[in-house]
Amino acid sequence: MTTETEQLTTSRLESFIDAMIDMEQTGQIFGEHGIGKTATFFSHLARAYPKATLVYVPAANLTPDDLLVNAPVRDPHTGELVLRQLVMSQLKPGRPFVLLVDDSLQAGETIQSQLMQIACNWTLGEHDLRALGCVGVFLTDNESLAETSARRSDLALLDRMVTLRITANDTSWRRHLAAKYRPWDLRPVFSLWASLSPALRELLSPRTLDHVLANAREGFPLRWGLPLVDGERLRLAEPGRDGGPGQNRTAEILDRIAASLGVPNPTTIPDPVRQVVRAALRCRWTVLLQGPPGCGKTELVRETVRAGLGREPLYYSLPVTNVEDLCAPIPSADGTLDNLLAAKFTGPEPKAIVWDEYNRPKDKAAFAKLMEITQEWSLAGRRIENLRAQIAVQNPPYHLGRKMLVARNNIAQATRFTASLLVEPEDIPANEWLLARYGSDAETVLEWWKHDIDDEGRAWITKRTLERLIKLHRRGLPLEMGTVYLGDGEYAPVPLTALIDRFRGRPVTGLRELAREVDAWEARLRRAADHSSEGGDDSDVVHQILANAELSQLRKHRAAVTRLVALLPAKLRATYLVGASAQQQRFWTEVFTSMRR
C-alpha cells in the first residue's frame, strides 16, 4: 500500500488545474490515452473544490445540437414566440462548475467551432459561461494521429490557451489504483511497469493495467484485460528495427504481474462467457465478446443477464439503432436544452445493456451516443440510474477467410472494456440447448458434427446451421438448403452425405449405442486392459465418445458411463477434469468416487 507521503503528493496535472482556475485561463492538456487525465480531474476537483462541480463533456460523442440549438420559445413578457439560443442543461448546474471538454480534437467541424468559442472567450452562442457559474475551462486530448487527424494550427486560437503536455507520471493514477485494489500492495506492480520501455508503457497504459488487475482479482486470465484492436488482441511487443513489432512479451509481463500479486494467471477457465457476464453484473464492468457468427453468443449473454439480474437486459442491435432510439433534445422550461432519455434508461430498477453487433453501427451519430454510454455510463450527460453492466457482442473482421462488414476501432475506444474475450464455439453451451429442444435428432446432428467432419467443416456449420438442418430434416427437405449459400449455386463446402446416412439409420457408435450394448463394450475394454495398461483401439473409441458427450447425455446414461470409465486407463480418465465446467467436474468426481466404492 502507498505511504501517507505518497497519498498527499500533488501530481503535476493537479497543480496545473489549480493554477488555471486561479488565473482564469483556459488549460489545454495533451497526453496519451489511458493515463488518467479525466480520472485526475474527477478525483482532484472533488477533493480540492468541494463546492464546485465538474461538467464533463466528451466531445467525440457530441452531435451538433447537443451544446447549442436555436429553438422557438415563448417570451415571458410579451407571450410571443421568439427564437432563442438554448444551451445544454449541464452548463447551468446552479453552482460553480469547471468545464472539462475531453477529446476535443475528435469532434466534428461544427462542434469544433463551438468548442473554440468556449476555449477562447468562455462563451457559447449568446451565453456567458462565467455568468452561469463557470470557474475553469479545460481541453484534454491525445495528439496521436491514430486517434485523430485534426490539429489546431490557427494562431488566433492557440494564443488563447495555456498548454501542458503530460505523461503517465504526471497524473494520480497510482494513488487511484492503490486505493481501488486494497489490500493488495501494488508497489511491485508499479515498479515492474516503470521498468518497461516507453513503448511498452504506452501499450500497457494505466487504464489497461487497471483492467488487467480487475481480471486478476476475479481469477480470470490476465490477458482478458488487454484490448481487442481491430479484432486482434493487443500484443505487448517492443518495436522491431524494421518498424514492425518485435518480440512479443505479453505472456512474460502478465505472468510477472500475477506473481507480484500472488495470484494465478490461468490460460483458460471453464464456462468463460457466463463467468465474465456474472462478473460484469457483480463489479459494474463493460465487457466485449468477439466470436464467429451463429455460435450462440448473444443468446447466452441474454440468458445469463436474465438469470443474474432477475429481468430482461436492455437490448440494442446496432445496425438498426438510431440516435432517437436513445435520446432526443427538447427545450426546457428554464430556457436550457434538455434531453429526453428513452424510457428503458429511466427508473430505479437494476439495468444491464446488451449491445449486439457492436462493430456494425448504423451511422456515426448513433455510435457517438453509444460511446458516451459505454465510456461514461451516461447518456446526454445524465447518469443512467442503477446501470449494473454493459456487454458488447461482435464478430471478428475476418472469418473463414472472408472479410466481415464491420467497423474499425482505435486503441482509445478499445481500452474502455474491462474484459475483452475472444469467444470460441466450444465456449457456448449451445449443444445442451439443442439436445433439450430437439432430442434424438439433435444427438444425431451433434454426433455427425463432432465425428464426421473436420475442423474447417465445423467452422462452416455453426450451431445456428445445425438447428436449421434439424428443422429441414423434420420437414423432409434437402439439407443442403440449410447451409450457408455463397452465390452462383455454391453452398458451404461441407459434405452432408454422412449426416444423411445417420438420419437414415446407418450403424454408428455414439453414447446411445455404448449404453445399449454396455455388456459387449465392457468386455472389449477388459480385453484391451488385459493386453496393455495403455488400453487399445476400443479404449480410444470409448474415451473419444465420453470426452465429446454433453453433460445431459452423460447424466442420462450415467450407469453405463460409470461401468465403462472404470476400465479406461487412468491417464485418459484424468483428462475429463481438465478445462471442464464446475458441473462437469462435479459429475466426473461423483463417478470416480462411485468407482472406488
Side-chain angles (χ1 to χ4, degrees), residues 4 7 14 65 98 235:
E4 184 177 355
Q7 290 176 345
E14 290 170 332
D65 291 338
V98 173
R235 297 173 60 193

Side-chain angles (χ1 to χ4, degrees), residues 23-34:
M23 296 163 55
E24 297 186 0
Q25 290 285 311
T26 299
Q28 180 178 229
I29 301 150
F30 288 108
E32 300 163 358
H33 73 90

Side-chain angles (χ1 to χ4, degrees), residues 86-333:
L86 304 184
V87 69
M88 66 187 302
S89 58
Q90 291 97 304
L91 296 179
K92 286 189 174 181
R95 57 187 293 194
F97 69 91
V98 173
L99 176 60
L100 172 60
V101 181
D102 195 19
D103 293 328
S104 64
L105 291 178
Q106 295 187 38
E109 292 184 7
T110 303
I111 303 297
Q112 288 281 358
S113 300
Q114 295 173 332
L115 296 180
M116 288 306 98
Q117 184 188 3
I118 294 174
C120 294
N121 304 314
W122 290 27
T123 60
L124 180 59
E126 64 186 35
H127 298 274
D128 183 346
L129 297 186
R130 288 183 176 87
L132 299 180
C134 185
V135 297
V137 173
F138 296 88
L139 309 178
T140 57
D141 280 290
N142 182 356
E143 291 183 281
S144 170
L145 293 178
E147 295 184 31
T148 177
S149 59
R151 288 286 175 89
R152 295 191 184 101
S153 58
D154 189 338
L155 292 178
L157 300 177
L158 297 175
D159 195 32
R160 308 276 186 141
M161 295 178 280
V162 180
T163 303
L164 175 69
R165 296 185 78 249
I166 63 172
T167 68
N169 290 325
D170 300 319
T171 66
S172 55
W173 65 272
R174 292 177 181 82
R175 183 196 310 155
H176 170 74
L177 292 187
K180 181 177 180 179
Y181 292 101
R182 291 192 179 109
W184 277 348
D185 180 0
L186 295 187
R187 285 176 296 182
V189 176
F190 297 154
S191 297
L192 168 60
W193 184 88
S195 70
L196 300 176
S197 67
L200 287 177
R201 289 201 301 269
E202 182 177 354
L203 293 172
L204 188 62
S205 68
R207 182 191 297 156
T208 299
L209 180 59
D210 180 10
H211 296 164
V212 168
L213 295 173
N215 281 276
R217 187 161 61 180
E218 294 298 315
F220 295 160
L222 272 62
R223 70 177 185 280
W224 287 4
L226 301 179
L228 297 177
V229 184
D230 288 335
E232 296 290 333
R233 178 79 66 193
L234 178 73
R235 297 173 60 193
L236 302 179
E238 301 273 9
R241 294 182 179 179
D242 59 355
Q247 179 187 1
N248 185 1
R249 297 182 58 193
T250 305
E252 171 216 334
I253 293 172
L254 296 183
D255 284 344
R256 290 174 64 189
I257 291 174
S260 298
L261 300 172
V263 299
N265 181 21
T267 304
T268 60
I269 61 170
D271 204 5
V273 175
R274 282 197 182 104
Q275 288 217 50
V276 80
V277 171
R278 290 166 183 156
L281 290 168
R282 186 170 59 249
C283 305
R284 202 168 179 263
W285 282 3
T286 305
V287 168
L288 176 65
L289 304 177
Q290 177 179 293
C295 67
K297 305 180 299 296
T298 303
E299 287 307 313
L300 181 59
V301 167
R302 296 179 74 169
E303 172 194 302
T304 308
V305 170
R306 191 183 305 119
L309 203 62
R311 58 188 302 114
E312 289 289 336
L314 310 185
Y315 174 81
Y316 288 92
S317 179
L318 269 292
V320 294
T321 298
N322 302 296
V323 172
E324 294 77 14
D325 296 324
L326 304 174
C327 65
I330 59 165
S332 62

Side-chain angles (χ1 to χ4, degrees), residues 38-81:
T38 303
T40 298
F41 270 90
F42 275 98
S43 61
H44 179 64
L45 290 174
R47 185 173 60 254
Y49 302 88
K51 294 183 179 180
T53 188
L54 177 66
V55 175
Y56 174 73
V57 177
N61 306 330
L62 291 176
T63 56
D65 291 338
D66 285 339
L67 287 174
L68 190 71
V69 68
N70 291 308
V73 296
R74 196 163 298 280
D75 188 289
H77 303 293
T78 65
E80 296 182 3
L81 282 175

Side-chain angles (χ1 to χ4, degrees), residues 244-425:
Q247 179 187 1
N248 185 1
R249 297 182 58 193
T250 305
E252 171 216 334
I253 293 172
L254 296 183
D255 284 344
R256 290 174 64 189
I257 291 174
S260 298
L261 300 172
V263 299
N265 181 21
T267 304
T268 60
I269 61 170
D271 204 5
V273 175
R274 282 197 182 104
Q275 288 217 50
V276 80
V277 171
R278 290 166 183 156
L281 290 168
R282 186 170 59 249
C283 305
R284 202 168 179 263
W285 282 3
T286 305
V287 168
L288 176 65
L289 304 177
Q290 177 179 293
C295 67
K297 305 180 299 296
T298 303
E299 287 307 313
L300 181 59
V301 167
R302 296 179 74 169
E303 172 194 302
T304 308
V305 170
R306 191 183 305 119
L309 203 62
R311 58 188 302 114
E312 289 289 336
L314 310 185
Y315 174 81
Y316 288 92
S317 179
L318 269 292
V320 294
T321 298
N322 302 296
V323 172
E324 294 77 14
D325 296 324
L326 304 174
C327 65
I330 59 165
S332 62
D334 63 356
T336 60
L337 183 65
D338 205 349
N339 272 274
L340 279 181
L341 303 190
K344 294 180 179 180
F345 295 113
T346 61
E349 63 276 358
K351 306 172 187 68
I353 305 176
V354 175
W355 303 110
D356 201 10
E357 307 289 357
Y358 181 77
N359 52 358
R360 301 176 188 261
K362 183 175 183 180
D363 53 47
K364 291 184 177 179
F367 192 68
K369 287 297 180 190
L370 163 69
M371 288 301 294
E372 180 188 353
I373 302 175
T374 55
Q375 293 179 9
E376 311 303 333
W377 296 63
S378 66
L379 180 55
R382 293 169 55 182
R383 288 285 171 183
I384 300 174
E385 187 177 1
N386 209 1
L387 179 56
R388 299 265 296 277
Q390 299 184 63
I391 299 96
V393 184
Q394 67 180 32
N395 295 136
Y398 291 89
H399 181 56
L400 294 172
R402 294 170 179 263
K403 181 172 174 54
M404 310 284 279
L405 299 178
V406 300
R408 297 171 63 91
N409 66 350
N410 60 41
I411 184 69
Q413 295 167 339
T415 55
R416 299 293 178 170
F417 296 96
T418 306
S420 300
L421 273 68
L422 292 171
V423 179
E424 300 296 336

Side-chain angles (χ1 to χ4, degrees), residues 470-517:
I470 293 171
K471 290 181 176 180
L472 289 170
H473 164 69
R474 290 185 170 184
R475 292 300 299 267
L477 295 173
L479 300 184
E480 186 181 49
M481 296 191 305
T483 60
V484 175
Y485 182 67
L486 303 175
D488 296 326
E490 182 184 358
Y491 289 84
V494 181
L496 299 175
T497 305
L499 178 58
I500 294 170
D501 288 343
R502 282 179 178 270
F503 276 133
R504 288 175 177 172
R506 175 175 65 86
V508 294
T509 301
L511 188 54
R512 280 182 298 180
E513 289 71 32
L514 290 182
R516 190 180 304 132
E517 302 172 8

